[in-house]
Amino acid sequence: MTISTEPEKTAEPSETPARKDRALAPIRTVTQRFGAATVAFAMIATVFGAVFAVLTPAFWGHDEITQFGRAYQVAHGGVFPQRIVDDRGVAYGGQIPVSVDALMGYAFRDYNDNPEEPDAMVADPGAYDRLGAAEVSSATRQMWFTNTAAYSPVPYVPAAVGIRLGEALGLDVGGLSLLTRFAGLVAYLAVVGFGLYALRGRRSQWLVFTVAVLPIALFQAGTVTADTLTNALAIMVSALLLKALFVGDRLHRAETAALLAATIALPLSKPTYVLLAMLVVVVPADRLGFAGKLKFVPSAFAVTGGVLFLAWTKIAAPTGDGMGLMRPPHQWGQVRPGDQLKGILSDPVQFVHTFGESIALRDHRWFNQFFGELGFAYVDVPAISMLACLLAFAVSFGIVDRMNASTATFRRTLIVALTVLASVAMIYVTLYMSFTPVDFYLIDGVQGRYFVPLAIMGLAVLARVVPLRLTNSDGVIPTRGTAITIACASTFALVATAATYYTVVWG
């Protein structure tokens, strides 16, 4: 037995926690000021949004070719849909630099001509480097993007800023594409981060966090698409409605201003979410900081948003006649919105039957796509990622703030529930009219990612109806351990998703 002559280190056990406390003090200060979910979102979304922006081959995002085309048009002053000449039929589009079009054309051929597994989907990685290294040419050519010409300029503002900045910096084609993606990511971080910051004092922040960092949400935030800002606005609106309508807190001035601004911007971003923005009128005026005659201010903004939505819908309506060109050649001319609308009104039973057939044949795909079908590589997130996301949802839902009749009355909850259901119905009806051929056997074009912006309000209604919450042995709802679980599960889902995408696409 050896006897040590060194003095006993009695101070070590107390010094170690003290040192840890000092080391963690800055982190605690930041999380206390901005909210733990806000900080976690900022870190996770920045890292994985950037990973997807770099990892995804140029123009392999969802409709990224036509999304970039519309963004380029907006960046150069193109506000309204522009009719172009096309021998195939009605078409809308604009001009695009020839060198950008060359990379678009190569990407289109590459993701449409894939070898069998286990070969990588990208045939020649060097081709993207060579084409991306070209200067952005002054010469342009006509480009077709009827499907995105229908969107207002609002959701393309971040991408348009990125394009103009890239041109000012003299970036090459690849640099311009990447900077445009990063511009959208920055907008997503700022808008969603603001919504999470508003909930920093509430456990409900983690429910919003779980939706905001879904693999599909961050994949889209890392590519060029109108959905980046649309999703961000919808998540922020949902977070503020959750705080004011369900939790019962009064919004600060900046939060009220953001909610009112989004009441106008969200309907102009995507028609299917117009009703979500209109929910501002359900929030008690005093929780928005209005009293007396000013209590009608939210209604005025809602009316303005609705009127602008209707105005843009009328402007963009003619583009629907050209959507058939997105179908296979034998279906050109068979997408006729007018005929579909007449069919719904004259034979609603048949439409309900078609809707039922769509559910029976496609609901499993929509479920997978809610978590992620990544771009035009059509890579599904792995099952382990879905399980991790479901764990995060279960825990975040389990610790959400208790909601009772004093904060969210039955009438208001019912209005929100009906609004969510009506918004879901609008997704189906819109795609039935604008993308589905007449007499087709199902409603085509529906994707699970379209339901992500409605998830928070849907879960809020469920939390109001279902009083069950997670508690420890003392009957207390835990916060630290559950927050760590949610953040870790979401991060794991994203790591697995990125690894799968890289393996399938790049090999």
Side-chain angles (χ1 to χ4, degrees), residues 52 215-216 368-374 378-386 389 493 496-497 500:
F52 286 127
I216 186 59
N368 293 348
Q369 292 167 349
F370 179 84
F371 299 99
E373 182 185 61
L374 308 183
Y378 301 108
V379 176
D380 287 329
V381 302
I384 193 68
S385 291
M386 296 183 200
C389 289
T497 297
T500 298

Side-chain angles (χ1 to χ4, degrees), residues 127-448:
Y128 289 91
D129 295 331
R130 293 190 296 272
L131 292 169
E135 294 183 0
V136 178
S137 60
S138 57
T140 61
R141 59 159 297 176
Q142 178 179 283
M143 178 185 177
W144 183 99
F145 48 83
T146 302
N147 61 321
T148 56
Y151 287 116
S152 82
V154 172
Y156 292 105
V157 170
V161 171
I163 289 172
R164 296 296 290 183
L165 180 59
E167 291 174 336
L169 295 174
L171 299 182
D172 56 26
V173 172
L176 180 68
S177 172
L178 188 59
L179 182 59
T180 306
R181 287 177 171 180
F182 282 143
L185 176 59
V186 170
Y188 187 80
L189 290 168
V191 176
V192 175
F194 181 84
L196 284 167
Y197 178 72
L199 284 167
R200 62 192 179 279
R202 293 292 188 172
R203 296 189 305 272
S204 298
Q205 62 184 303
W206 291 105
L207 184 62
V208 177
F209 167 89
T210 304
V211 174
V213 298
L214 281 170
I216 186 59
L218 293 189
F219 179 84
Q220 290 194 287
T223 55
V224 181
T225 170
D227 290 343
T228 297
L229 186 58
T230 299
N231 290 347
L233 288 170
I235 292 172
M236 183 192 73
V237 166
S238 297
L240 296 175
L241 290 173
L242 181 59
K243 178 179 180 179
L245 191 56
F246 285 94
V247 178
D249 292 343
R250 179 172 175 171
L251 299 187
H252 299 297
R253 288 183 179 179
E255 295 164 0
T256 297
L259 180 58
L260 294 178
T263 302
I264 294 176
L266 184 56
L268 288 173
S269 296
K270 205 158 192 175
T272 47
Y273 308 125
V274 60
L275 297 179
L276 180 64
M278 298 298 106
L279 283 174
V280 68
V281 302
V282 184
V283 182
D286 61 315
R287 296 182 194 174
L288 298 176
F290 296 115
K293 294 182 179 180
L294 292 179
K295 67 181 181 181
F296 296 107
V297 169
S299 298
F301 272 83
V303 170
T304 302
V307 169
L308 291 175
F309 158 74
L310 293 174
W312 184 262
T313 299
K314 183 176 181 180
I315 291 171
T319 63
D321 294 330
M323 289 295 291
L325 295 182
M326 293 192 68
R327 309 290 308 184
H330 69 278
Q331 293 179 340
W332 289 353
Q334 295 186 28
V335 177
R336 299 188 295 273
D339 290 347
Q340 296 288 55
L341 180 59
K342 291 178 182 177
I344 294 175
L345 297 177
S346 62
D347 192 358
V349 175
Q350 178 58 40
F351 173 74
V352 172
H353 174 75
T354 303
F355 174 76
E357 288 285 298
S358 304
I359 296 290
L361 297 172
R362 292 290 184 270
D363 68 328
H364 64 290
R365 289 298 305 144
W366 301 335
F367 178 81
N368 293 348
Q369 292 167 349
F370 179 84
F371 299 99
E373 182 185 61
L374 308 183
F376 279 0
Y378 301 108
V379 176
D380 287 329
V381 302
I384 193 68
S385 291
M386 296 183 200
L387 288 174
C389 289
L390 289 173
L391 173 61
F393 269 116
V395 178
S396 62
F397 181 84
I399 65 170
V400 76
D401 297 282
R402 294 191 182 278
M403 304 168 188
N404 51 51
S406 63
T407 59
T409 64
F410 175 79
R411 182 178 65 85
R412 294 186 185 120
T413 303
L414 180 60
I415 291 173
V416 175
L418 293 175
T419 298
V420 172
L421 291 175
S423 298
V424 170
M426 285 183 66
I427 293 173
Y428 289 102
V429 172
T430 298
L431 288 165
Y432 183 74
M433 293 176 57
S434 66
F435 190 72
T436 304
V438 174
D439 296 329
F440 203 57
Y441 68 99
L442 52 70
I443 301 174
D444 204 11
V446 178
Q447 298 187 43

